[in-house]
Amino acid sequence: MSERTDRTATVRCPFCLTLNKVDVGRADARPTCGSCEKPLLLDRPVKVQEEDFQRTVLDAHVPVLVDFYADWCAPCRMLAPMIDEIAGAERGRLLVVKVDTDHAPTVAQSYGIRSIPTVIMFKDGAEVGRSVGIMPDELRSLVTRAVA
């Protein structure tokens, strides 16, 4: 069985909002937006809107860790530094995204998000693991299994 060489994902530029296909495996090369040429920073979580979820998360050719959160949620804010750390440490091996459940209720409902923070790992468009609440060991295990 051959290892997948296509490590691409589609992310929205935070500056001009253009969708860009990027090679996540080459994140260290600092990809830029094809429209405005500003950097697409993959060493931190990428915000995903409801309309981008399919393309960014489900169609990605790399594991995607999705943090379902809300700005008002204190536990979500407590988990955020760990999510940021994972994004930096695993840059090039997985994509880390954040979905605000207040602004993406259809996506949250379709994945049965009843409590936040909920973190789901997707691989090849399918959920392969989930962590609810602040569970550092469980979260690290999700990441380790996905990038192995």
Side-chain angles (χ1 to χ4, degrees), residues 10-60:
T10 300
V11 298
R12 188 171 294 279
C13 175
F15 302 101
C16 73
L17 306 181
T18 300
L19 287 171
N20 291 268
K21 187 172 185 176
V22 296
D23 184 344
V24 175
R26 297 193 62 223
D28 287 340
R30 305 221 16 147
T32 58
C33 175
S35 182
C36 72
E37 299 183 2
K38 292 193 177 177
L40 298 170
L41 303 174
L42 302 178
D43 61 345
R44 59 199 68 183
V46 175
K47 289 197 176 186
V48 173
Q49 305 296 326
E50 198 159 65
E51 61 271 14
D52 300 338
F53 192 83
Q54 173 73 42
R55 287 185 74 183
T56 302
V57 177
L58 303 180
D59 294 344

Side-chain angles (χ1 to χ4, degrees), residues 48-128:
V48 173
Q49 305 296 326
E50 198 159 65
E51 61 271 14
D52 300 338
F53 192 83
Q54 173 73 42
R55 287 185 74 183
T56 302
V57 177
L58 303 180
D59 294 344
H61 295 281
V62 57
V64 182
L65 184 72
V66 181
D67 176 18
F68 289 93
Y69 79 103
D71 287 334
W72 52 263
C73 169
C76 297
R77 289 193 303 271
M78 291 171 57
L79 185 63
M82 185 173 186
I83 298 295
D84 293 347
E85 177 186 315
I86 291 169
E90 300 300 334
R91 177 184 68 244
R93 298 181 351 145
L94 64 80
L95 181 64
V96 178
V97 306
K98 296 178 79 68
V99 174
D100 185 333
T101 57
D102 287 340
H103 295 109
T106 303
V107 171
Q109 182 179 12
S110 68
Y111 288 98
I113 306 300
R114 290 181 173 76
S115 178
I116 51 175
T118 293
V119 179
I120 300 178
M121 180 66 75
F122 289 87
K123 197 168 187 178
D124 298 321
E127 178 178 335
V128 295

